[in-house]
Amino acid sequence: MRLRNIPRAESVLRECKEVVKNASEHQNHWKKVFGNDHPVHIEIGMGKGQFLLALARRNPEINYIGIERYSSVLLRAVEKYENLSADMQKPLPNIRFICMDAREITEVFAPGEVEKIYLNFSDPWPKARHARRRLTSSDFLALYDQILTSDGTVEFKTDNRVLFDFSVEEVKASSLFELTGLTYDLHHDSSMNAGNIMTEYEEKFSSAGGAICKLVAARKGSAAGCI
């Protein structure tokens, strides 16, 4: 599906103070951006923002950064954030947004600066020649390893079984990560589904009876046990 360009997106994002411009200038200083020493969690490919906004409301002791490549998509998340702030009569202090390509994350975050990475319903890039573009490919796992804390984790959800199987094999073959959680039917797995927050897409897909897959991968050598 072709992404619809929204002409006003750039100007709206430019005016929103929660959208961080020149993000690489803040590498190794994200806690200063938030004004506290709380852990930093990021979502890559945040879509319309429902997932990250819910997390930020639920966990005020954690700083959240939503990353989205396309300004027209990020616009929807920012608008949702602004509507939520208006309803609450105050802005959420623990959330920021970045419009960037995920391949640039090591230029934006320093080693050990991120505690958790969320990947939700990422582009499956179905053609074999595009496998390295998948956010769970070994190329991206190597990038995540560079910015995560020693006990950092990656959480990945998808409805695409082909992409999920690929992702499981990439983690199993990795010298950097190990599987610590795995389910092929998240909403019927009481342990893995505990505390789950659904994205907009997840709500729609699961209401139609579709199964959601989820894995959790931890950096090797962390305290988390593999499965």
Side-chain angles (χ1 to χ4, degrees):
M1 182 176 68
R2 185 172 182 176
L3 182 67
R4 183 170 67 91
N5 181 55
I6 302 177
R8 64 187 178 88
E10 296 292 345
S11 60
V12 173
L13 299 183
R14 189 163 49 246
E15 294 301 317
C16 179
K17 66 179 182 179
E18 281 74 27
V19 176
V20 180
K21 295 79 178 176
N22 303 315
S24 61
E25 295 179 3
H26 302 287
Q27 187 187 50
N28 206 33
H29 298 291
W30 284 102
K31 291 184 178 181
K32 184 177 181 180
V33 170
F34 286 98
N36 57 55
D37 290 327
H38 298 165
V40 173
H41 293 189
I42 67 176
E43 181 183 9
I44 299 177
M46 68 174 301
K48 297 179 181 178
Q50 175 171 293
F51 176 83
L52 205 67
L53 290 172
L55 277 178
R57 292 188 69 180
R58 180 184 291 183
N59 305 300
E61 74 287 353
I62 297 174
N63 297 324
Y64 294 95
I65 301 173
I67 296 172
E68 179 56 54
R69 180 179 180 180
Y70 301 104
S71 60
S72 294
V73 177
L74 182 55
L75 172 66
R76 298 309 186 197
V78 167
E79 289 177 333
K80 185 169 289 189
Y81 163 79
E82 291 177 341
N83 290 335
L84 176 62
S85 297
D87 291 342
M88 297 173 59
Q89 298 185 333
K90 62 179 181 179
L92 279 171
N94 62 329
I95 194 162
R96 297 292 187 276
F97 308 99
I98 307 175
C99 191
M100 62 174 280
D101 190 304
R103 287 174 290 191
E104 301 170 1
I105 57 172
T106 56
E107 300 173 21
V108 172
F109 300 102
E113 198 167 20
V114 175
E115 184 180 86
K116 185 175 288 187
I117 297 172
Y118 296 99
L119 307 172
N120 293 313
F121 304 94
S122 309
D123 191 329
W125 291 104
K127 294 182 179 180
R129 68 175 184 273
H130 294 155
R132 295 179 67 179
R133 300 184 187 182
R134 298 168 190 163
L135 292 179
T136 50
S137 70
S138 59
D139 286 8
F140 277 100
L141 291 177
L143 296 180
Y144 305 152
D145 179 69
Q146 292 183 54
I147 66 173
L148 283 168
T149 57
S150 59
D151 58 350
T153 58
V154 176
E155 295 192 6
F156 171 60
K157 291 193 291 186
T158 184
D159 65 301
N160 188 308
R161 182 59 183 269
V162 174
L163 175 61
F164 191 70
D165 289 344
F166 166 86
S167 304
V168 169
E169 292 306 313
E170 288 292 279
V171 175
K172 286 182 175 180
S174 174
S175 62
L176 305 172
F177 287 88
E178 58 192 2
L179 285 171
T180 58
L182 177 69
T183 181
Y184 292 91
D185 193 357
L186 175 62
H187 297 165
H188 292 93
D189 186 320
S190 59
S191 177
M192 289 286 286
N193 197 44
N196 180 55
I197 293 174
M198 289 197 283
T199 70
E200 293 91 342
Y201 178 85
E202 185 175 352
E203 287 181 346
K204 182 177 180 179
F205 184 81
S206 60
S207 66
I212 305 298
C213 302
K214 179 178 179 178
L215 68 78
V216 180
R219 291 186 73 198
K220 285 191 173 179
S222 68
C226 62
I227 59 173

